[in-house]
Amino acid sequence: RMALAHDFRHQLQKIDEEILDLLGQRVLLCEKALEEDEEALSPEMKADVLAEWEGAADERGMNMSVMGNICKLVQRLTPTTED
């Protein structure tokens, strides 16, 4: 049982590290886009991304509201001219 708990924890840590790596890649991509076009992350684009996340969450049987909140937090990782 102890080995199972350790394996579970190890798997969670691996997934969490992958999530953090992907978030870092997302931030870099957004920063690069903003350097080229300061309107790249417009409120309309952010709203579209939010709707996409919520739709994808719904398709996966996840809580759309919670995923929407996560999306908003992720979007806050990259400052925009409006922030």
Side-chain angles (χ1 to χ4, degrees):
R1 181 176 176 149
M2 188 75 138
L4 182 63
H6 176 73
D7 186 52
F8 170 73
R9 177 74 176 140
H10 178 74
Q11 288 179 31
L12 282 181
Q13 286 176 323
K14 186 174 179 179
I15 291 169
D16 290 344
E17 288 175 17
E18 290 175 16
I19 291 169
L20 290 170
D21 287 344
L22 290 170
L23 288 171
Q25 290 175 32
R26 189 183 197 285
V27 168
L28 291 174
L29 181 64
C30 289
E31 288 174 348
K32 187 174 182 179
L34 285 172
E35 286 174 10
E36 295 178 16
D37 177 7
E38 54 185 47
E39 297 298 317
L41 298 176
S42 68
E44 295 80 16
M45 188 267 215
K46 287 178 148 184
D48 288 345
V49 171
L50 176 60
E52 290 168 7
W53 276 54
E54 290 172 335
D58 189 41
E59 290 171 5
R60 290 169 172 80
M62 297 174 160
N63 184 308
M64 291 173 56
S65 177
V66 170
M67 194 56 67
N69 288 334
I70 292 170
C71 180
K72 290 174 189 174
L73 290 171
V74 167
Q75 289 177 340
R76 288 178 56 193
L77 289 172
T78 306
T80 63
T81 52
E82 292 97 41
D83 291 341

XYZ file of all heavy atoms in Angstrom:
655
model
N 0.823 -1.202 0.000
C 0.000 0.000 0.000
C 0.866 1.265 0.000
O 0.530 2.249 -0.634
C -0.937 -0.052 1.213
C -1.842 1.132 1.278
C -2.812 1.019 2.414
N -3.586 2.225 2.465
C -4.802 2.304 2.868
N -5.426 1.239 3.298
N -5.433 3.439 2.870
N 1.947 1.212 0.730
C 2.851 2.356 0.792
C 3.482 2.620 -0.578
O 3.604 3.767 -0.996
C 3.941 2.102 1.837
C 4.792 3.302 2.097
S 3.914 4.494 3.081
C 5.192 4.969 4.183
N 3.843 1.547 -1.276
C 4.440 1.702 -2.601
C 3.434 2.306 -3.571
O 3.786 3.130 -4.409
C 4.936 0.354 -3.116
N 2.165 1.899 -3.448
C 1.113 2.439 -4.314
C 0.942 3.938 -4.078
O 0.841 4.714 -5.016
C -0.204 1.700 -4.073
C -1.376 2.125 -4.941
C -1.074 1.846 -6.407
C -2.633 1.389 -4.528
N 0.945 4.342 -2.813
C 0.810 5.767 -2.478
C 2.003 6.552 -3.009
O 1.851 7.662 -3.524
C 0.684 5.948 -0.970
N 3.190 5.979 -2.908
C 4.397 6.652 -3.413
C 4.332 6.787 -4.929
O 4.663 7.845 -5.481
C 5.654 5.878 -3.000
C 6.906 6.461 -3.555
N 7.449 7.641 -3.079
C 7.721 6.060 -4.564
C 8.538 7.932 -3.768
N 8.728 6.986 -4.680
N 3.912 5.730 -5.629
C 3.795 5.771 -7.084
C 2.764 6.809 -7.514
O 2.981 7.557 -8.462
C 3.417 4.386 -7.622
C 3.423 4.348 -9.138
O 4.442 4.743 -9.739
O 2.405 3.934 -9.718
N 1.644 6.852 -6.796
C 0.590 7.835 -7.080
C 1.141 9.245 -6.950
O 0.957 10.094 -7.816
C -0.584 7.607 -6.123
C -1.616 8.683 -6.144
C -2.487 8.808 -7.221
C -1.730 9.574 -5.087
C -3.445 9.811 -7.247
C -2.686 10.581 -5.106
C -3.546 10.689 -6.186
N 1.848 9.499 -5.860
C 2.427 10.823 -5.614
C 3.440 11.179 -6.700
O 3.479 12.304 -7.195
C 3.088 10.840 -4.224
C 3.782 12.115 -3.880
C 2.821 13.214 -3.558
N 3.570 14.379 -3.144
C 3.267 15.608 -3.481
N 2.187 15.849 -4.173
N 3.998 16.600 -3.073
N 4.251 10.210 -7.088
C 5.247 10.432 -8.131
C 4.571 10.784 -9.457
O 5.011 11.704 -10.168
C 6.125 9.189 -8.296
C 7.140 9.312 -9.381
N 8.266 10.094 -9.259
C 7.186 8.772 -10.622
C 8.957 10.037 -10.387
N 8.336 9.236 -11.226
N 3.504 10.089 -9.788
C 2.772 10.363 -11.026
C 2.163 11.766 -10.998
O 2.205 12.489 -11.999
C 1.682 9.324 -11.258
C 2.224 7.970 -11.659
C 1.119 6.946 -11.858
O 0.013 7.291 -12.256
N 1.431 5.691 -11.587
N 1.601 12.157 -9.852
C 1.039 13.506 -9.720
C 2.124 14.563 -9.889
O 1.911 15.574 -10.571
C 0.359 13.683 -8.365
C -1.022 13.075 -8.191
C -1.548 13.371 -6.794
C -1.998 13.587 -9.231
N 3.281 14.333 -9.270
C 4.378 15.296 -9.389
C 4.812 15.446 -10.846
O 5.073 16.554 -11.308
C 5.567 14.871 -8.529
C 5.343 15.095 -7.054
C 6.504 14.582 -6.216
O 7.104 13.555 -6.525
N 6.805 15.294 -5.139
N 4.870 14.338 -11.566
C 5.267 14.380 -12.974
C 4.261 15.190 -13.790
O 4.646 16.025 -14.613
C 5.398 12.961 -13.521
C 5.947 12.923 -14.912
C 6.192 11.495 -15.370
C 6.714 11.528 -16.800
N 6.998 10.225 -17.326
N 2.986 14.948 -13.577
C 1.939 15.691 -14.288
C 2.014 17.179 -13.935
O 1.927 18.045 -14.816
C 0.544 15.115 -13.981
C 0.406 13.731 -14.627
C -0.559 16.051 -14.454
C -0.821 12.953 -14.187
N 2.181 17.482 -12.645
C 2.266 18.879 -12.218
C 3.459 19.584 -12.866
O 3.352 20.744 -13.290
C 2.358 18.981 -10.697
C 1.060 18.599 -10.004
O 0.013 18.541 -10.679
O 1.104 18.348 -8.782
N 4.601 18.892 -12.970
C 5.773 19.480 -13.616
C 5.498 19.751 -15.091
O 5.907 20.785 -15.628
C 6.984 18.560 -13.451
C 7.525 18.553 -12.035
C 8.655 17.554 -11.837
O 9.242 17.088 -12.841
O 8.959 17.240 -10.676
N 4.790 18.834 -15.745
C 4.435 19.033 -17.153
C 3.507 20.234 -17.307
O 3.665 21.026 -18.246
C 3.786 17.772 -17.723
C 4.749 16.608 -17.882
C 4.075 15.322 -18.324
O 2.922 15.365 -18.804
O 4.696 14.259 -18.193
N 2.543 20.369 -16.398
C 1.633 21.517 -16.438
C 2.420 22.821 -16.287
O 2.210 23.778 -17.043
C 0.539 21.404 -15.354
C -0.422 20.256 -15.685
C -0.215 22.720 -15.177
C -1.367 19.893 -14.547
N 3.336 22.853 -15.328
C 4.143 24.062 -15.115
C 5.020 24.367 -16.324
O 5.165 25.535 -16.711
C 4.982 23.916 -13.846
C 4.176 23.936 -12.548
C 5.053 23.537 -11.374
C 3.542 25.288 -12.326
N 5.598 23.321 -16.937
C 6.400 23.539 -18.152
C 5.542 24.127 -19.265
O 5.958 25.057 -19.963
C 7.031 22.222 -18.623
C 8.171 21.760 -17.731
O 8.692 22.568 -16.932
O 8.544 20.573 -17.829
N 4.344 23.589 -19.446
C 3.444 24.090 -20.485
C 3.007 25.520 -20.202
O 2.921 26.346 -21.123
C 2.224 23.177 -20.635
C 2.512 21.810 -21.253
C 1.289 20.902 -21.127
C 2.927 21.952 -22.711
N 2.759 25.838 -18.935
C 2.401 27.211 -18.588
C 3.551 28.159 -18.904
O 3.337 29.267 -19.408
C 2.000 27.307 -17.114
C 0.660 26.699 -16.753
C 0.476 26.666 -15.236
C -0.481 27.444 -17.414
N 4.774 27.723 -18.612
C 5.941 28.540 -18.946
C 6.054 28.773 -20.440
O 6.333 29.893 -20.885
N 5.807 27.735 -21.235
C 5.831 27.868 -22.691
C 4.744 28.831 -23.158
O 4.964 29.646 -24.059
C 5.632 26.514 -23.361
C 6.799 25.566 -23.195
C 6.490 24.193 -23.778
O 5.762 24.074 -24.748
N 7.049 23.162 -23.167
N 3.581 28.740 -22.519
C 2.454 29.611 -22.886
C 2.800 31.077 -22.615
O 2.532 31.961 -23.430
C 1.203 29.193 -22.116
C -0.057 29.893 -22.576
C -1.241 29.481 -21.699
N -2.514 29.789 -22.310
C -3.035 31.003 -22.390
N -2.392 32.048 -21.892
N -4.208 31.195 -22.969
N 3.406 31.332 -21.456
C 3.796 32.699 -21.098
C 4.802 33.244 -22.107
O 4.660 34.378 -22.590
C 4.369 32.743 -19.661
C 5.050 34.078 -19.381
C 3.268 32.477 -18.640
N 5.810 32.442 -22.449
C 6.811 32.894 -23.418
C 6.187 33.189 -24.775
O 6.522 34.193 -25.415
C 7.927 31.847 -23.563
C 8.846 31.681 -22.359
C 9.812 30.511 -22.594
C 9.603 32.958 -22.067
N 5.281 32.329 -25.215
C 4.604 32.537 -26.488
C 3.787 33.825 -26.474
O 3.822 34.610 -27.425
C 3.705 31.343 -26.804
C 2.945 31.387 -28.117
C 3.909 31.387 -29.302
C 1.996 30.208 -28.210
N 3.076 34.057 -25.385
C 2.265 35.279 -25.266
C 3.148 36.516 -25.229
O 2.837 37.529 -25.861
C 1.388 35.214 -24.020
S 0.034 34.011 -24.138
N 4.258 36.446 -24.502
C 5.168 37.591 -24.441
C 5.733 37.904 -25.817
O 5.832 39.074 -26.211
C 6.295 37.316 -23.437
C 5.822 37.357 -21.999
C 6.885 36.936 -21.001
O 7.938 36.382 -21.410
O 6.663 37.144 -19.797
N 6.099 36.865 -26.565
C 6.619 37.058 -27.915
C 5.559 37.686 -28.817
O 5.844 38.604 -29.581
C 7.078 35.718 -28.488
C 7.783 35.828 -29.800
C 8.330 34.482 -30.230
C 9.076 34.620 -31.544
N 9.652 33.343 -31.979
N 4.325 37.195 -28.704
C 3.234 37.749 -29.511
C 3.011 39.219 -29.178
O 2.785 40.042 -30.066
C 1.958 36.940 -29.286
N 3.083 39.557 -27.890
C 2.884 40.946 -27.473
C 4.006 41.858 -27.964
O 3.773 43.037 -28.241
C 2.765 41.038 -25.952
C 1.446 40.567 -25.359
C 1.530 40.514 -23.846
C 0.301 41.464 -25.804
N 5.224 41.325 -28.061
C 6.342 42.119 -28.586
C 6.090 42.492 -30.041
O 6.442 43.588 -30.476
C 7.652 41.333 -28.480
C 8.189 41.232 -27.076
C 9.405 40.326 -26.995
O 9.960 39.926 -28.045
O 9.815 40.005 -25.858
N 5.477 41.568 -30.769
C 5.217 41.803 -32.191
C 3.956 42.635 -32.418
O 3.867 43.382 -33.378
C 5.114 40.475 -32.924
C 6.418 39.702 -32.936
C 6.317 38.341 -33.622
O 5.329 38.113 -34.351
O 7.210 37.526 -33.398
N 2.978 42.448 -31.518
C 1.692 43.147 -31.676
C 1.080 43.320 -30.289
O 0.634 42.352 -29.691
C 0.760 42.334 -32.580
C -0.621 42.964 -32.720
O -0.838 44.099 -32.242
O -1.491 42.303 -33.311
N 1.068 44.558 -29.800
C 0.568 44.758 -28.431
C -0.927 44.493 -28.296
O -1.443 44.431 -27.188
C 0.949 46.134 -27.893
C 0.549 47.307 -28.735
C 1.078 48.616 -28.166
O 2.265 48.678 -27.818
O 0.273 49.557 -28.070
N -1.618 44.295 -29.390
C -3.042 43.927 -29.347
C -3.251 42.415 -29.483
O -4.386 41.952 -29.611
C -3.798 44.648 -30.465
C -3.778 46.163 -30.341
C -4.445 46.645 -29.066
O -5.516 46.121 -28.708
O -3.878 47.546 -28.413
N -2.154 41.655 -29.458
C -2.240 40.207 -29.684
C -3.140 39.509 -28.661
O -3.773 38.505 -28.978
C -0.846 39.587 -29.657
N -3.171 40.026 -27.458
C -3.996 39.418 -26.407
C -5.159 40.351 -26.072
O -5.353 40.755 -24.931
C -3.150 39.127 -25.160
C -1.998 38.143 -25.369
C -1.173 38.016 -24.097
C -2.505 36.782 -25.807
N -5.934 40.645 -27.074
C -7.060 41.556 -26.906
C -8.117 40.934 -25.991
O -8.164 39.708 -25.823
C -7.696 41.849 -28.263
O -8.314 40.677 -28.772
N -8.974 41.753 -25.413
C -10.065 41.217 -24.595
C -10.940 40.227 -25.375
O -11.402 39.236 -24.813
C -10.854 42.462 -24.194
C -9.858 43.572 -24.232
C -8.917 43.225 -25.366
N -11.128 40.483 -26.672
C -11.931 39.567 -27.493
C -11.253 38.207 -27.618
O -11.897 37.171 -27.533
C -12.169 40.161 -28.890
C -13.005 41.420 -28.905
C -12.223 42.697 -28.551
O -10.960 42.685 -28.581
O -12.878 43.699 -28.214
N -9.925 38.228 -27.831
C -9.186 36.975 -27.946
C -9.220 36.214 -26.632
O -9.424 35.004 -26.605
C -7.743 37.261 -28.370
C -6.961 36.005 -28.698
S -6.080 35.440 -27.259
C -4.623 34.791 -27.974
N -9.055 36.945 -25.534
C -9.108 36.295 -24.216
C -10.485 35.682 -23.970
O -10.583 34.586 -23.423
C -8.772 37.300 -23.113
C -7.317 37.682 -23.044
C -7.121 38.721 -21.955
C -5.775 38.586 -21.310
N -5.597 39.514 -20.194
N -11.528 36.362 -24.385
C -12.887 35.835 -24.223
C -13.080 34.582 -25.071
O -13.724 33.611 -24.626
C -13.920 36.899 -24.589
N -12.524 34.585 -26.287
C -12.607 33.403 -27.147
C -11.891 32.213 -26.514
O -12.396 31.088 -26.520
C -11.999 33.682 -28.527
C -12.847 34.603 -29.379
O -14.042 34.816 -29.043
O -12.320 35.128 -30.386
N -10.702 32.459 -25.966
C -9.936 31.397 -25.322
C -10.706 30.855 -24.113
O -10.790 29.644 -23.914
C -8.531 31.892 -24.911
C -7.816 30.869 -24.038
C -7.699 32.208 -26.153
N -11.295 31.751 -23.339
C -12.094 31.335 -22.186
C -13.238 30.425 -22.622
O -13.460 29.358 -22.026
C -12.628 32.562 -21.446
C -13.558 32.306 -20.260
C -12.864 31.489 -19.178
C -14.070 33.620 -19.702
N -13.938 30.811 -23.665
C -15.044 29.993 -24.168
C -14.540 28.629 -24.649
O -15.198 27.600 -24.426
C -15.776 30.724 -25.294
N -13.375 28.625 -25.294
C -12.793 27.356 -25.756
C -12.454 26.442 -24.589
O -12.718 25.241 -24.623
C -11.550 27.621 -26.602
C -11.848 28.244 -27.949
C -10.607 28.757 -28.661
O -9.473 28.525 -28.183
O -10.771 29.405 -29.713
N -11.864 27.004 -23.534
C -11.529 26.208 -22.351
C -12.797 25.635 -21.724
O -12.828 24.469 -21.338
C -10.807 27.079 -21.321
C -9.328 27.224 -21.522
C -8.682 27.641 -22.650
C -8.324 26.990 -20.549
N -7.328 27.684 -22.432
C -7.080 27.294 -21.149
C -8.347 26.583 -19.224
C -5.867 27.175 -20.463
C -7.147 26.469 -18.539
C -5.930 26.762 -19.164
N -13.808 26.474 -21.592
C -15.051 26.002 -20.972
C -15.704 24.905 -21.820
O -16.192 23.910 -21.279
C -16.006 27.168 -20.748
C -15.522 28.103 -19.657
C -16.341 29.370 -19.520
O -16.981 29.808 -20.503
O -16.333 29.942 -18.412
N -15.691 25.073 -23.138
C -16.246 24.044 -24.017
C -15.465 22.747 -23.934
O -16.049 21.658 -23.885
N -14.140 22.863 -23.912
C -13.297 21.671 -23.806
C -13.503 20.974 -22.466
O -13.510 19.740 -22.394
C -11.829 22.056 -23.994
N -13.686 21.757 -21.418
C -13.950 21.175 -20.099
C -15.267 20.408 -20.114
O -15.349 19.282 -19.605
C -13.985 22.271 -19.033
N -16.272 21.006 -20.708
C -17.584 20.362 -20.785
C -17.496 19.040 -21.554
O -18.054 18.030 -21.130
C -18.590 21.307 -21.438
C -20.017 20.789 -21.364
O -20.406 20.257 -20.302
O -20.745 20.922 -22.362
N -16.760 19.054 -22.674
C -16.590 17.837 -23.470
C -15.903 16.728 -22.680
O -16.140 15.547 -22.929
C -15.776 18.132 -24.732
C -16.513 18.971 -25.752
C -15.611 19.425 -26.893
O -14.429 19.000 -26.947
O -16.087 20.210 -27.737
N -15.059 17.116 -21.730
C -14.311 16.143 -20.930
C -15.027 15.783 -19.623
O -14.494 15.053 -18.798
C -12.921 16.690 -20.626
C -12.009 16.756 -21.827
C -10.746 17.556 -21.515
N -9.746 17.497 -22.558
C -9.764 18.209 -23.680
N -10.748 19.064 -23.904
N -8.806 18.099 -24.572
N -16.207 16.353 -19.432
C -16.948 16.073 -18.204
C -16.409 16.809 -16.984
O -16.665 16.417 -15.849
N -15.673 17.890 -17.226
C -15.118 18.689 -16.131
C -16.050 19.858 -15.838
O -16.849 20.252 -16.685
C -13.734 19.220 -16.511
C -12.705 18.177 -16.753
S -11.185 18.969 -17.377
C -9.986 17.723 -17.010
N -15.891 20.429 -14.673
C -16.680 21.573 -14.253
C -16.278 22.797 -15.085
O -15.154 23.278 -14.995
C -16.455 21.828 -12.762
C -17.310 22.930 -12.215
O -17.346 24.035 -12.740
N -17.996 22.638 -11.136
N -17.209 23.288 -15.891
C -16.927 24.418 -16.782
C -16.584 25.690 -16.012
O -15.705 26.449 -16.416
C -18.125 24.681 -17.696
C -18.365 23.616 -18.729
S -19.913 23.861 -19.643
C -19.708 25.509 -20.292
N -17.272 25.927 -14.917
C -17.043 27.135 -14.127
C -15.645 27.127 -13.511
O -14.927 28.135 -13.566
C -18.113 27.253 -13.040
O -17.861 28.366 -12.225
N -15.261 26.001 -12.945
C -13.931 25.885 -12.346
C -12.861 26.048 -13.421
O -11.879 26.768 -13.241
C -13.771 24.541 -11.596
C -12.328 24.309 -11.184
C -14.683 24.494 -10.381
N -13.064 25.393 -14.570
C -12.075 25.499 -15.647
C -12.018 26.926 -16.187
O -10.945 27.417 -16.540
C -12.396 24.511 -16.764
C -11.253 24.318 -17.724
S -9.685 23.790 -16.973
C -10.106 22.161 -16.407
N -13.155 27.603 -16.224
C -13.153 29.008 -16.622
C -12.316 29.853 -15.670
O -11.558 30.723 -16.101
N -12.436 29.581 -14.377
C -11.630 30.306 -13.391
C -10.149 30.011 -13.563
O -9.309 30.911 -13.454
C -12.080 29.960 -11.968
C -13.415 30.568 -11.628
O -13.807 31.592 -12.181
N -14.141 29.944 -10.727
N -9.820 28.751 -13.845
C -8.418 28.384 -14.078
C -7.893 29.121 -15.303
O -6.779 29.657 -15.290
C -8.267 26.856 -14.225
C -8.554 26.168 -12.883
C -6.872 26.490 -14.745
C -8.662 24.663 -12.959
N -8.689 29.182 -16.357
C -8.283 29.885 -17.577
C -7.994 31.353 -17.280
O -6.989 31.905 -17.734
C -9.362 29.759 -18.644
S -8.955 30.591 -20.192
N -8.862 31.984 -16.509
C -8.653 33.398 -16.172
C -7.352 33.586 -15.395
O -6.622 34.554 -15.614
C -9.833 33.931 -15.374
C -11.099 34.066 -16.195
C -12.264 34.462 -15.324
C -13.581 34.396 -16.087
N -14.730 34.636 -15.209
N -7.046 32.651 -14.493
C -5.785 32.733 -13.743
C -4.588 32.535 -14.662
O -3.587 33.239 -14.547
C -5.770 31.695 -12.612
C -6.728 31.969 -11.465
C -6.778 30.775 -10.522
C -6.327 33.227 -10.707
N -4.695 31.585 -15.580
C -3.615 31.351 -16.536
C -3.396 32.605 -17.388
O -2.260 33.013 -17.633
C -3.926 30.109 -17.427
C -2.989 30.037 -18.613
C -3.848 28.839 -16.592
N -4.475 33.226 -17.815
C -4.347 34.435 -18.623
C -3.679 35.554 -17.844
O -2.980 36.385 -18.429
C -5.718 34.887 -19.119
C -6.296 33.958 -20.184
C -7.691 34.348 -20.642
O -8.407 35.072 -19.955
N -8.077 33.850 -21.789
N -3.821 35.556 -16.530
C -3.194 36.599 -15.706
C -1.683 36.414 -15.591
O -0.974 37.328 -15.159
C -3.816 36.625 -14.309
C -5.226 37.183 -14.328
C -5.878 37.166 -12.977
N -5.088 37.871 -11.985
C -5.308 37.792 -10.675
N -6.303 37.050 -10.211
N -4.551 38.460 -9.826
N -1.164 35.241 -15.985
C 0.293 35.020 -15.931
C 1.032 35.910 -16.917
O 2.194 36.210 -16.734
C 0.622 33.551 -16.252
C 0.241 32.525 -15.199
C 0.443 31.107 -15.738
C 1.047 32.740 -13.929
N 0.352 36.332 -17.971
C 0.969 37.188 -18.982
C 0.330 38.569 -18.922
O -0.827 38.724 -19.277
C 0.774 36.599 -20.395
O 1.244 35.268 -20.406
C 1.526 37.415 -21.423
N 1.069 39.547 -18.439
C 0.495 40.895 -18.380
C 0.238 41.449 -19.773
O 0.952 41.132 -20.722
C 1.565 41.726 -17.661
C 2.767 40.885 -17.567
C 2.420 39.495 -17.965
N -0.798 42.217 -19.885
C -1.116 42.876 -21.161
C -1.130 44.369 -20.928
O -0.989 44.839 -19.799
C -2.496 42.419 -21.692
O -3.499 42.816 -20.763
C -2.552 40.918 -21.895
N -1.336 45.096 -21.983
C -1.356 46.564 -21.855
C -2.531 47.022 -21.000
O -2.494 48.085 -20.420
C -1.432 47.214 -23.249
O -2.519 46.630 -23.967
C -0.149 47.026 -24.010
N -3.599 46.187 -20.904
C -4.747 46.570 -20.097
C -4.538 46.322 -18.604
O -5.230 46.849 -17.768
C -6.008 45.789 -20.506
C -6.530 46.125 -21.873
C -6.046 45.140 -22.921
O -6.009 43.924 -22.633
O -5.699 45.569 -24.016
N -3.555 45.440 -18.257
C -3.382 45.032 -16.847
C -2.716 46.103 -16.011
O -2.039 46.952 -16.408
C -2.557 43.742 -16.762
C -3.346 42.558 -17.304
O -4.572 42.664 -17.395
O -2.714 41.556 -17.637
